[in-house]
Coordinates of all heavy atoms in Angstrom, one line a residue:
M1 N 116.4 89.8 131.8 CA 116.2 91.0 131.0 C 117.5 91.2 130.2 O 118.6 91.2 130.7 CB 115.9 92.1 132.0 CG 115.7 93.4 131.3 SD 115.3 94.8 132.5 CE 113.6 94.8 132.3
P2 N 117.3 91.6 128.9 CA 118.5 91.9 128.1 C 119.2 93.1 128.5 O 118.6 94.1 129.0 CB 117.9 92.0 126.7 CG 116.4 92.4 126.9 CD 116.0 91.8 128.2
N3 N 120.5 93.1 128.2 CA 121.3 94.3 128.4 C 121.1 95.3 127.3 O 121.5 95.0 126.2 CB 122.7 93.9 128.6 CG 123.6 95.1 128.9 OD1 123.2 96.3 128.8 ND2 124.8 94.8 129.3
H4 N 120.4 96.4 127.5 CA 120.1 97.3 126.4 C 121.3 97.9 125.7 O 121.2 98.3 124.6 CB 119.2 98.4 127.0 CG 117.8 97.9 127.4 ND1 116.9 97.5 126.6 CD2 117.3 97.8 128.7 CE1 115.8 97.1 127.3 NE2 116.1 97.2 128.6
A5 N 122.4 97.9 126.4 CA 123.6 98.5 125.8 C 124.1 97.5 124.7 O 124.9 98.0 123.8 CB 124.7 98.7 126.8
N6 N 123.7 96.3 124.7 CA 124.2 95.3 123.8 C 123.3 95.0 122.6 O 123.5 94.2 121.8 CB 124.5 93.9 124.5 CG 125.7 94.0 125.4 OD1 126.6 94.9 125.2 ND2 125.6 93.2 126.5
I7 N 122.2 95.7 122.6 CA 121.2 95.6 121.5 C 121.4 96.6 120.4 O 121.4 97.8 120.7 CB 119.7 95.7 122.1 CG1 119.5 94.5 123.1 CG2 118.7 95.6 120.9 CD1 118.2 94.6 123.7
N8 N 121.6 96.1 119.2 CA 121.9 97.0 118.1 C 120.6 97.1 117.3 O 120.3 96.4 116.4 CB 123.0 96.4 117.2 CG 123.4 97.3 116.1 OD1 122.6 98.3 115.7 ND2 124.5 97.1 115.5
V9 N 119.7 98.1 117.7 CA 118.4 98.3 117.1 C 118.5 98.5 115.6 O 117.8 97.9 114.8 CB 117.6 99.4 117.8 CG1 116.3 99.7 117.0 CG2 117.3 99.0 119.2
P10 N 119.4 99.4 115.1 CA 119.5 99.6 113.6 C 119.8 98.3 112.9 O 119.2 98.0 111.8 CB 120.6 100.6 113.4 CG 120.6 101.4 114.7 CD 120.3 100.4 115.8
N11 N 120.7 97.5 113.4 CA 121.0 96.2 112.8 C 119.8 95.3 112.8 O 119.5 94.6 111.8 CB 122.2 95.6 113.5 CG 122.7 94.4 112.8 OD1 122.8 94.4 111.6 ND2 122.9 93.3 113.5
L12 N 119.1 95.2 113.9 CA 117.8 94.4 114.0 C 116.8 94.8 112.9 O 116.2 94.0 112.2 CB 117.2 94.4 115.4 CG 118.0 93.7 116.5 CD1 117.4 94.0 117.8 CD2 118.1 92.2 116.2
Y13 N 116.6 96.2 112.9 CA 115.7 96.7 111.9 C 116.1 96.4 110.5 O 115.3 96.1 109.6 CB 115.5 98.2 112.2 CG 114.5 98.8 111.2 CD1 113.1 98.6 111.4 CD2 114.9 99.6 110.1 CE1 112.2 99.2 110.5 CE2 114.0 100.2 109.3 CZ 112.6 100.0 109.5 OH 111.7 100.5 108.6
D14 N 117.4 96.6 110.2 CA 117.9 96.4 108.8 C 117.6 94.9 108.4 O 117.2 94.6 107.3 CB 119.4 96.7 108.7 CG 119.6 98.2 108.7 OD1 118.7 99.0 108.6 OD2 120.8 98.6 108.9
N15 N 117.9 94.0 109.3 CA 117.7 92.6 109.1 C 116.3 92.2 108.8 O 115.9 91.5 107.9 CB 118.3 91.7 110.2 CG 119.8 91.7 110.2 OD1 120.4 92.0 109.2 ND2 120.4 91.5 111.3
W16 N 115.4 92.8 109.7 CA 113.9 92.6 109.5 C 113.5 93.1 108.2 O 112.7 92.5 107.5 CB 113.2 93.2 110.7 CG 111.7 93.1 110.5 CD1 110.9 92.1 110.8 CD2 110.8 94.1 110.0 NE1 109.6 92.4 110.6 CE2 109.5 93.6 110.1 CE3 111.1 95.4 109.6 CZ2 108.4 94.4 109.6 CZ3 110.0 96.2 109.2 CH2 108.7 95.6 109.2
T17 N 113.9 94.4 107.9 CA 113.5 95.0 106.6 C 113.9 94.2 105.4 O 113.2 94.0 104.5 CB 114.0 96.4 106.5 OG1 113.6 97.2 107.6 CG2 113.6 97.1 105.2
Y18 N 115.2 93.7 105.5 CA 115.7 92.9 104.4 C 114.9 91.6 104.2 O 114.5 91.3 103.0 CB 117.2 92.5 104.7 CG 117.8 91.6 103.7 CD1 118.2 92.1 102.4 CD2 117.9 90.2 103.9 CE1 118.8 91.2 101.5 CE2 118.4 89.4 103.0 CZ 118.9 89.9 101.8 OH 119.4 89.0 100.8
Q19 N 114.5 91.0 105.3 CA 113.8 89.7 105.1 C 112.4 90.0 104.6 O 111.8 89.2 103.8 CB 113.6 89.0 106.5 CG 115.0 88.5 107.0 CD 115.5 87.4 106.0 OE1 114.8 86.6 105.5 NE2 116.8 87.5 105.8
V20 N 111.7 91.1 105.0 CA 110.4 91.4 104.4 C 110.5 91.7 102.9 O 109.7 91.2 102.1 CB 109.8 92.6 105.2 CG1 108.6 93.2 104.5 CG2 109.5 92.2 106.6
M21 N 111.5 92.6 102.6 CA 111.6 93.0 101.2 C 112.0 91.8 100.3 O 111.7 91.8 99.1 CB 112.6 94.1 101.0 CG 112.1 95.4 101.7 SD 110.5 96.0 101.2 CE 110.9 96.4 99.5
L22 N 112.7 90.8 100.8 CA 113.1 89.7 100.0 C 111.9 88.9 99.5 O 112.0 88.4 98.4 CB 113.9 88.7 101.0 CG 114.8 87.7 100.4 CD1 115.9 88.4 99.6 CD2 115.4 86.9 101.5
N23 N 110.7 89.0 100.1 CA 109.5 88.3 99.7 C 108.6 89.1 98.8 O 107.6 88.6 98.3 CB 108.8 87.8 100.9 CG 109.5 86.8 101.7 OD1 110.1 85.9 101.1 ND2 109.5 86.9 103.0
V24 N 108.9 90.4 98.7 CA 108.0 91.3 97.9 C 107.9 90.9 96.4 O 106.8 90.8 95.9 CB 108.5 92.8 98.0 CG1 107.8 93.7 97.0 CG2 108.2 93.3 99.5
P25 N 109.0 90.6 95.7 CA 108.8 90.3 94.3 C 108.0 89.0 94.1 O 107.1 89.0 93.2 CB 110.3 90.0 93.8 CG 111.1 90.8 94.7 CD 110.4 90.8 96.0
T26 N 108.2 88.0 94.9 CA 107.4 86.8 94.8 C 105.9 87.1 95.0 O 105.0 86.6 94.3 CB 107.9 85.7 95.8 OG1 109.3 85.5 95.5 CG2 107.1 84.4 95.7
F27 N 105.6 87.9 96.1 CA 104.2 88.2 96.4 C 103.6 89.0 95.2 O 102.4 88.7 94.8 CB 104.2 89.0 97.7 CG 102.8 89.5 98.0 CD1 101.8 88.7 98.5 CD2 102.5 90.9 97.8 CE1 100.6 89.1 98.8 CE2 101.2 91.3 98.1 CZ 100.3 90.5 98.6
V28 N 104.3 90.0 94.7 CA 103.7 90.8 93.6 C 103.5 90.0 92.4 O 102.4 90.1 91.7 CB 104.6 92.0 93.3 CG1 104.2 92.7 92.0 CG2 104.7 93.0 94.5
R29 N 104.4 89.1 92.0 CA 104.2 88.2 90.9 C 103.0 87.3 91.0 O 102.1 87.2 90.1 CB 105.4 87.3 90.7 CG 106.6 88.0 90.0 CD 107.7 87.0 89.7 NE 108.9 87.7 89.3 CZ 109.9 88.0 90.0 NH1 110.0 87.5 91.2 NH2 111.0 88.6 89.5
S30 N 102.8 86.8 92.2 CA 101.6 86.0 92.5 C 100.3 86.8 92.4 O 99.4 86.3 91.8 CB 101.7 85.4 93.9 OG 100.6 84.8 94.3
E31 N 100.3 88.0 92.9 CA 99.1 88.8 92.9 C 98.8 89.3 91.4 O 97.7 89.4 91.0 CB 99.2 90.0 93.8 CG 99.3 89.6 95.3 CD 98.1 88.8 95.7 OE1 96.9 89.1 95.4 OE2 98.3 87.7 96.2
V32 N 99.9 89.6 90.6 CA 99.6 89.9 89.2 C 99.0 88.8 88.5 O 98.1 89.0 87.7 CB 101.0 90.4 88.6 CG1 100.8 90.4 87.0 CG2 101.4 91.7 89.1
Q33 N 99.4 87.5 88.8 CA 98.8 86.4 88.1 C 97.4 86.3 88.5 O 96.5 85.9 87.6 CB 99.6 85.1 88.5 CG 100.9 85.0 87.8 CD 100.8 85.0 86.3 OE1 99.9 84.4 85.7 NE2 101.7 85.7 85.6
H34 N 97.0 86.5 89.7 CA 95.6 86.5 90.1 C 94.8 87.5 89.4 O 93.7 87.3 89.0 CB 95.5 86.7 91.6 CG 95.9 85.5 92.5 ND1 96.9 85.6 93.4 CD2 95.5 84.2 92.5 CE1 97.1 84.5 93.9 NE2 96.3 83.6 93.4
L35 N 95.4 88.7 89.2 CA 94.7 89.8 88.5 C 94.5 89.5 87.0 O 93.5 89.8 86.4 CB 95.4 91.1 88.7 CG 95.3 91.7 90.1 CD1 96.2 93.0 90.1 CD2 93.8 92.1 90.4
V36 N 95.5 88.9 86.4 CA 95.4 88.5 85.0 C 94.3 87.5 84.8 O 93.4 87.7 83.9 CB 96.8 87.8 84.5 CG1 96.6 87.2 83.2 CG2 97.8 88.9 84.4
I37 N 94.2 86.5 85.7 CA 93.1 85.6 85.6 C 91.7 86.2 85.8 O 90.7 86.0 85.1 CB 93.3 84.4 86.6 CG1 94.5 83.6 86.2 CG2 92.1 83.5 86.7 CD1 95.0 82.6 87.2
L38 N 91.7 87.1 86.8 CA 90.4 87.8 87.2 C 89.9 88.7 86.0 O 88.7 88.7 85.7 CB 90.6 88.6 88.4 CG 89.4 89.4 88.9 CD1 88.3 88.5 89.4 CD2 89.8 90.4 90.1
Y39 N 90.8 89.4 85.4 CA 90.4 90.4 84.4 C 90.4 89.8 83.0 O 90.1 90.5 82.0 CB 91.2 91.7 84.5 CG 90.9 92.5 85.7 CD1 91.8 92.5 86.7 CD2 89.7 93.2 85.7 CE1 91.4 93.3 87.9 CE2 89.4 93.9 86.9 CZ 90.3 94.0 87.9 OH 90.0 94.7 89.0
N40 N 90.8 88.6 82.8 CA 90.9 88.0 81.5 C 90.0 86.7 81.3 O 90.3 85.8 80.7 CB 92.3 87.6 81.1 CG 92.5 87.4 79.6 OD1 91.9 88.0 78.8 ND2 93.4 86.5 79.3
K41 N 88.9 86.8 82.1 CA 87.9 85.7 82.0 C 88.5 84.3 82.2 O 88.2 83.4 81.5 CB 87.1 85.8 80.6 CG 86.4 87.1 80.4 CD 85.8 87.1 79.1 CE 85.1 88.5 78.9 NZ 84.7 88.7 77.6
G42 N 89.4 84.2 83.2 CA 90.0 82.9 83.5 C 91.2 82.5 82.7 O 91.8 81.5 83.0
Q43 N 91.5 83.3 81.7 CA 92.7 82.9 80.9 C 94.0 83.3 81.6 O 94.0 84.4 82.2 CB 92.6 83.6 79.5 CG 91.4 83.3 78.7 CD 91.4 81.8 78.3 OE1 92.4 81.3 77.9 NE2 90.2 81.2 78.4
T44 N 95.0 82.5 81.5 CA 96.2 82.8 82.2 C 97.3 83.3 81.2 O 98.4 83.5 81.7 CB 96.7 81.6 82.9 OG1 96.9 80.5 82.0 CG2 95.8 81.1 84.0
T45 N 97.0 83.5 80.0 CA 98.1 83.8 79.0 C 98.0 85.2 78.5 O 98.5 85.6 77.5 CB 98.0 82.8 77.8 OG1 96.7 83.0 77.2 CG2 98.2 81.4 78.2
A46 N 97.3 86.1 79.3 CA 97.1 87.5 78.8 C 98.4 88.3 78.8 O 98.6 89.2 78.0 CB 96.1 88.2 79.6
A47 N 99.3 88.0 79.8 CA 100.5 88.9 79.9 C 101.6 88.1 80.6 O 101.3 87.1 81.3 CB 100.1 90.1 80.7
T48 N 102.8 88.5 80.4 CA 103.9 88.0 81.2 C 104.1 88.9 82.4 O 103.8 90.1 82.3 CB 105.1 87.8 80.4 OG1 105.5 89.1 79.9 CG2 104.9 86.9 79.2
D49 N 104.7 88.3 83.4 CA 105.0 89.1 84.6 C 106.5 89.2 84.8 O 107.0 88.7 85.8 CB 104.3 88.6 85.8 CG 104.6 87.2 86.1 OD1 105.0 86.5 85.2 OD2 104.5 86.8 87.3
N50 N 107.2 89.8 83.9 CA 108.6 89.9 84.0 C 109.0 91.1 84.8 O 109.3 92.2 84.4 CB 109.3 90.0 82.6 CG 110.8 90.0 82.7 OD1 111.3 89.7 83.7 ND2 111.4 90.3 81.6
L51 N 108.8 91.0 86.2 CA 109.0 92.1 87.1 C 110.4 92.1 87.6 O 110.9 91.0 87.9 CB 108.0 92.0 88.2 CG 106.5 92.0 87.8 CD1 105.6 91.8 89.0 CD2 106.1 93.3 87.0
S52 N 110.9 93.2 87.8 CA 112.3 93.3 88.4 C 112.3 94.6 89.3 O 111.4 95.4 89.2 CB 113.3 93.4 87.3 OG 113.1 94.6 86.6
W53 N 113.4 94.7 90.1 CA 113.4 95.8 91.0 C 113.4 97.2 90.3 O 112.8 98.1 90.8 CB 114.7 95.7 91.9 CG 114.4 94.7 93.0 CD1 115.0 93.5 93.2 CD2 113.5 94.9 94.1 NE1 114.4 92.9 94.3 CE2 113.6 93.8 94.9 CE3 112.7 95.9 94.5 CZ2 112.8 93.6 96.1 CZ3 111.9 95.8 95.6 CH2 112.0 94.7 96.4
P54 N 114.1 97.3 89.1 CA 114.0 98.6 88.5 C 112.6 99.0 88.1 O 112.2 100.2 88.2 CB 114.8 98.5 87.2 CG 115.8 97.4 87.6 CD 115.1 96.5 88.5
I55 N 111.7 98.0 87.8 CA 110.3 98.3 87.5 C 109.6 98.7 88.7 O 108.8 99.7 88.8 CB 109.7 97.1 86.8 CG1 110.3 96.9 85.4 CG2 108.2 97.3 86.7 CD1 109.9 95.6 84.7
F56 N 109.8 98.0 89.8 CA 109.2 98.4 91.1 C 109.6 99.8 91.5 O 108.8 100.6 92.0 CB 109.7 97.5 92.2 CG 109.1 96.1 92.2 CD1 109.9 95.0 92.5 CD2 107.8 95.8 91.7 CE1 109.4 93.7 92.5 CE2 107.3 94.6 91.7 CZ 108.1 93.5 92.1
L57 N 110.8 100.2 91.3 CA 111.3 101.5 91.8 C 110.8 102.6 90.9 O 110.7 103.7 91.3 CB 112.8 101.5 91.8 CG 113.4 100.5 92.8 CD1 115.0 100.5 92.7 CD2 113.0 100.9 94.3
D58 N 110.4 102.3 89.7 CA 109.8 103.3 88.8 C 108.4 103.6 89.1 O 107.8 104.6 88.6 CB 110.0 102.9 87.3 CG 111.4 103.0 86.8 OD1 112.2 103.8 87.5 OD2 111.7 102.4 85.8
L59 N 107.7 102.8 89.8 CA 106.3 103.0 90.1 C 106.0 104.2 91.0 O 106.8 104.6 91.8 CB 105.6 101.7 90.7 CG 105.6 100.5 89.8 CD1 105.1 99.3 90.6 CD2 104.9 100.8 88.5

């Protein structure tokens, strides 16, 4: 059984959150590309997906 006094929960949570958020831009870009194809009759050249963190934070 782990020694609860030696477990740094905030640090574990921060690391987990960082790893999850690291994959968000890649996932969103992929999903935007699927939507472009879906709503543009199969064409993939309807829009560019130049997404960045400032754009995410403005939503």
Side-chain angles (χ1 to χ4, degrees):
M1 178 176 262
N3 182 349
H4 295 289
N6 293 331
I7 297 175
N8 185 343
V9 173
N11 188 44
L12 290 172
Y13 181 74
D14 287 348
N15 289 334
W16 175 80
T17 304
Y18 175 79
Q19 290 301 318
V20 169
M21 295 306 292
L22 201 62
N23 295 317
V24 168
T26 302
F27 174 76
V28 171
R29 283 186 188 101
S30 172
E31 293 307 306
V32 167
Q33 286 300 321
H34 288 119
L35 287 174
V36 167
I37 293 168
L38 180 65
Y39 289 106
N40 196 34
K41 300 177 184 171
Q43 301 297 316
T44 59
T45 58
T48 59
D49 60 335
N50 187 12
L51 302 176
S52 64
W53 280 111
I55 293 172
F56 288 143
L57 297 175
D58 285 341
L59 295 178

